[in-house]
Each structure stands twice: as structure tokens, then as C-alpha cells.
Amino acid sequence: IWMTAIMGASSLARAIRRALIAPLVLLLARAFVAKARFSNAKFIWLLKRYVAGIFVRILPQPPPEIIRGTGSLSRVAEMLRKARRIKPLIVTDATIAQHGLLQGCISSLRAANMQYEIYDGVVPDPNIDCVEDGFAIYQKGGCDSIVAVGGGSAMDSAKMIGVKAGNPKPVKDYEGVFKCTTLGWKPMTPVIAVPTTAGTGSEVSPGAVIADKHHKRKFVCIDPGMIPSFAILDPELLFKLPASVTAATGMDALTHAIESYLNGIGDSISRKHSLTSTNKIFKYLLKAYHNGSDSQAREGMLDAAFEAGVAISHGHVGNVHAIAHQLGTLFKIAHGTANAMVLPHVLELYLRKDKHHGWCAERLCDLAQAAGFQTGKTKSQAAHNFVASIRDLMTQMDMPFTVSEMRNADVREVALRAMAEAHGNAKPVCSVDYWCDLGYPVPFYMTLADCIEVVAKLLPPDAGSSKKSDGD
């Protein structure tokens, strides 16, 4: 019997090896071929790129059930009953709570005789403490679900609290891919996402970004099991959103749509949502900026942000986000604002460096058409016009173009951090974390000099060699 078992196991092992050899050979061959296009890339970066592409296509990423329309927040209790849950933790920030935006949610829960707890300690660029503090309330209150009401910070915090509820361990240990729910073996508790901004796409994305304030860095956690169960898109919650926040979050959504489309690893779903999101952003963002109570514009932007979130779930982000994350960590720049600052410079770099293959010009031309612009005589001209339209959009919304606190001495550090994030080599090669960080499938692999060039363009005119003193 033992001999039979051993022989059976040996045959199974040989069969598995044979099944894996062909895909592995194809993967290696694909990475070698790609080297002709991505001449700046190391082979391991390309290998990670195509592994990410495989995961996008084979792993299920079911979108949340969507409840939309004015007043839809009142259906929270209905969604909880559908998920067979009775006591949620409401995750939000102090500003949302103070402005009464939780009232619809609370009224719905009370009408259904459901108990709840509230954690309103979320901060911009949420850190590990936000997750730990929220989880402590979740545990102490005996909660069984989460309702996230807020922007990307609240939703990312809520998802990580939900992850910790299903798979308890230190928050840092979730960094990378597939480490949050262990491919569904330790599922996240049900999360209902209620965005009060239109931009982050966290209500549909399989990831979260958390700050490690002790090491002054952000880390990304990605797992298909992190997609919320429900997303409530209620435009009424955005009526009082400040114009500056409308601008920043709208540009965040636009960056998602553009980067996911340029990366090229996404599927047809990703590409479709990138284009439709771009169309809606150029149609509705300025309207929402100038008239916050425009219900149609607010709903249009909520849809655009959701669609861009679907796009990055399949197509990922890129160099713009890699640089923007450093600006947020080091200089406390709002994420959407940081993306807006970086986006035109990175796109211009792509157009200048990718002349031979023309991939970026062709893709930007597609986006320009989706936005409703005349494409011009050539694809290159259309692409440059599209970049110019982004700058024009920023100008009309009075957005900053430079980082006032950044100095010449900071540029190299920002660039080094961004390169490590984009290429997935922030960790030692011998660590598991290195192999769980697939980096970003960017359309152009920047050199350090390229990245420094982009970051330097964000310096204010009076930038010196050191930061301003408190008395300046």
C-alpha cells in the first residue's frame, strides 16, 4: 500500500512538473521578447509584469453589487440583511461625522433595529494605527461587517480592518499580493463601500494603500478578496464637497483611467472602462467643480470613478502613482493633487521616449477621442493635445503645478523611492516580500535620470538646496 501511494505521488509530481514547464517556458520567452521594446527594464521586472498579466486574466474579480441614485444610502440595512449581517462597524473620518453625512446610514440601521459601532479616526493617507484602532473597536463591539463612509482613506482603512478581522496578523504582513485573504481561504468580512468623493475607485478595487509613518513610506496591499461586497453611489453625499476636493479626486480618477489604458496588460473590460471613464470625466468634472449641487454631474463623476476603479483592478497603475505616493508621504500632498501634478510630465516623457514604437501616442490618441477632442492630423499631435487638455483642466480648477515644500535636495530621494515602488524592488531580493511585489506594468521603464527629470519639474521657482525654516 505504501509503495503504491509513493508511486502515485511520484506520478502526480511528474504530471505537475510537465504541466508547469510549458507555461513557464512561454513566460520566459515572452519576457525575453519584451526586452526589445522595454530596453531599460531588467529581466526580472518584465517577468513580474507578465505574471501580473496572467493573474489579471485567470483570477476572478467580481465587482461589488451597485446601488445608485439620490438617497440610496438609506438602503444600507437592506444590504446588510442580504449579506446576513446584523452589526456593522461604520468606518469614517471626523469631518464626515461632523457634517452629518452618516445620518442616512444611521437612520437606516435604526429603522431595521440593527446595532452598530462607529470608528471616526480615519486620517488622510491612513496609516497602520488607523487600521489597528478601528479593528480594536470592531472586536470590542462584536461587529460582523463594515460600512465605509468617506473617500479613499476611509474605504482603504475599512478594507484593511475587514482583512484583519478575517485573517488577523500585523498590518505590515499584508503588504504585496495575495497576502490579505490568502486567495480566499481567510476571507475579508463583508464591506459596504459608500464613497463621499468621486475619484479613488476604492469601492471597486482589490487593494488598499496604507502609510507606515515610522518609515515614511506607503505600501500597497492587493488581493482579489478585498473587493467590497456592495457599493452605494449616492450623489447627494457629494453636494457639499469642497471644490478643491472635487478637483483632486476627479484628477485621481482620470489618472486611473489613463494609466490603466497605457499599461497594456488589462483586458477588454479594463480598456472599455478606461475610455468610458475618460469620457465622463471630461464631460462632468468641471460641471461638478463649478456647481457642487449638480446631481447629474455628481452622479456622472461617481460612475466615472467606479469605472476607472474597475480599469485599475485589471490594468493597474503606473509611474504617475509611484511618484505621487512619495509626494504624499514626504510632503503631505493630497493623493489626487499629487497625481495631477505628475501626470502631464510623465505623459510627455512617454511621448518623447517612445517615438520608435509609438505605443503611448496611439493609446493617448484613443483617450483623446474618448474625451471628445479633435484628434489632429497625426496621432502624435492628438496625444500632445490631450496632455495639453489635462493642464488646461488643472488650470480651470486652480490646481497647483508644483510642490511648495520640495527642495532640490529632495528630488533624488523622491525619484529613488518612486523607482523602487514602480519596479517592485523595494525589498531585498532574498525576501518573500520581493517576490510578492510585482511592481507596476508601466508602458515605459524610466531610468533614474528620467525619474529625476520628472520630479525636478515639480520644484517651485524658489527651490533651494534645503527646506524652508519654520520662520519662512
Side-chain angles (χ1 to χ4, degrees), residues 339-354:
N339 273 335
M341 290 177 176
V342 178
L343 181 60
H345 299 299
V346 168
L347 296 183
E348 286 175 340
L349 177 75
Y350 290 170
L351 291 172
R352 193 171 74 249
K353 297 282 187 174
D354 190 41

Side-chain angles (χ1 to χ4, degrees), residues 198-199 243-253 285 334-340 397 399:
S244 60
V245 180
T246 298
T249 53
M251 292 302 295
D252 190 17
L285 180 53
H335 177 63
T337 301
N339 273 335
M397 296 189 294
M399 297 188 75

Side-chain angles (χ1 to χ4, degrees), residues 249-299:
T249 53
M251 292 302 295
D252 190 17
L254 182 61
T255 305
H256 292 163
I258 292 172
E259 288 207 289
S260 59
Y261 195 73
L262 289 179
N263 284 346
I265 72 159
D267 52 19
S268 59
I269 296 173
S270 171
R271 291 190 292 273
K272 172 187 172 184
H273 284 295
S274 292
L275 295 173
T276 57
S277 176
T278 300
N279 174 271
K280 289 176 182 176
I281 290 167
F282 277 95
K283 183 177 181 180
Y284 292 118
L285 180 53
L286 281 177
K287 291 180 180 179
Y289 176 81
H290 291 298
N291 180 9
S293 298
D294 185 333
S295 183
Q296 184 183 31
R298 289 299 193 187
E299 190 159 6

Side-chain angles (χ1 to χ4, degrees), residues 388-448:
S389 72
I390 294 171
R391 284 202 172 93
D392 181 57
L393 191 59
M394 291 175 64
T395 300
Q396 291 187 64
M397 296 189 294
D398 198 27
M399 297 188 75
F401 286 85
T402 59
V403 182
S404 60
E405 293 299 315
M406 189 164 68
R407 295 293 173 262
N408 290 326
D410 301 317
V411 171
R412 184 178 178 84
E413 181 182 2
V414 171
L416 286 169
R417 284 170 171 255
M419 293 280 285
E421 178 177 324
H423 299 155
N425 60 355
K427 301 289 185 179
V429 177
C430 58
S431 68
V432 174
D433 287 339
Y434 177 86
W435 299 99
C436 287
D437 183 355
L438 299 179
Y440 299 152
V442 295
F444 175 77
Y445 287 84
M446 295 189 295
T447 64
L448 180 58

Side-chain angles (χ1 to χ4, degrees), residues 19-298:
L20 290 177
I21 286 174
L24 183 59
V25 170
L26 288 173
L27 179 64
L28 293 171
R30 184 70 182 90
F32 274 118
V33 171
K35 185 67 177 171
R37 176 187 166 194
F38 302 111
S39 57
N40 291 337
K42 293 182 179 179
F43 181 73
I44 185 60
W45 301 347
L46 297 175
L47 201 59
K48 287 184 175 185
R49 175 192 188 89
Y50 293 112
V51 167
I54 292 170
F55 285 148
V56 162
R57 283 163 174 77
I58 67 173
L59 291 179
Q61 296 189 58
E65 182 176 334
I66 308 171
I67 302 90
R68 54 163 51 91
T70 302
S72 54
L73 181 58
S74 63
R75 297 179 61 187
V76 165
E78 177 188 338
M79 297 305 105
L80 286 169
R81 281 195 296 266
K82 196 168 186 177
R84 299 182 179 181
R85 304 291 157 150
I86 59 173
K87 187 175 183 181
L89 171 68
I90 300 174
V91 177
T92 188
D93 60 59
T95 302
I96 295 291
Q98 290 166 5
H99 283 75
L101 295 182
L102 299 182
Q103 194 54 51
C105 175
I106 292 172
S107 297
S108 176
L109 296 174
R110 287 177 176 172
N113 294 316
M114 289 184 177
Q115 295 182 322
Y116 59 88
E117 300 289 338
I118 296 178
Y119 171 59
D120 62 1
V122 174
V123 298
D125 293 326
N127 53 53
I128 293 171
D129 291 342
C130 289
V131 179
E132 297 290 2
D133 293 346
F135 178 66
I137 296 174
Y138 180 96
Q139 273 194 314
K140 185 177 179 180
C143 299
D144 61 8
S145 51
I146 296 174
V147 178
V149 183
S153 296
M155 289 187 283
D156 281 5
S157 298
K159 289 195 283 187
M160 294 311 299
I161 293 168
V163 163
K164 194 171 175 69
N167 183 19
K169 58 183 178 179
V171 177
K172 287 183 182 178
D173 290 351
Y174 301 120
E175 181 178 1
V177 294
F178 311 133
K179 296 169 73 176
C180 293
T181 70
T182 319
L183 291 177
W185 287 103
K186 297 180 179 179
M188 176 178 77
T189 197
V191 172
I192 299 175
V194 186
T196 60
T197 64
T200 68
S202 188
E203 67 272 16
V204 68
S205 72
V209 180
I210 301 297
D212 180 352
K213 62 184 181 181
H214 298 294
H215 295 91
K216 293 185 177 181
R217 72 184 189 98
K218 291 183 179 181
F219 59 90
V220 180
C221 308
I222 298 176
D223 192 304
M226 289 178 67
I227 298 175
S229 304
F230 303 93
I232 295 178
L233 308 182
D234 188 341
E236 193 172 33
L237 298 175
L238 281 67
F239 286 173
K240 296 181 180 179
L241 195 67
S244 60
V245 180
T246 298
T249 53
M251 292 302 295
D252 190 17
L254 182 61
T255 305
H256 292 163
I258 292 172
E259 288 207 289
S260 59
Y261 195 73
L262 289 179
N263 284 346
I265 72 159
D267 52 19
S268 59
I269 296 173
S270 171
R271 291 190 292 273
K272 172 187 172 184
H273 284 295
S274 292
L275 295 173
T276 57
S277 176
T278 300
N279 174 271
K280 289 176 182 176
I281 290 167
F282 277 95
K283 183 177 181 180
Y284 292 118
L285 180 53
L286 281 177
K287 291 180 180 179
Y289 176 81
H290 291 298
N291 180 9
S293 298
D294 185 333
S295 183
Q296 184 183 31
R298 289 299 193 187

Side-chain angles (χ1 to χ4, degrees), residues 356-376:
H356 178 66
H357 297 284
W359 169 274
C360 293
E362 184 174 337
R363 289 280 168 140
L364 288 172
C365 182
D366 293 343
L367 290 163
Q369 287 181 314
F373 300 134
Q374 294 295 326
T375 55

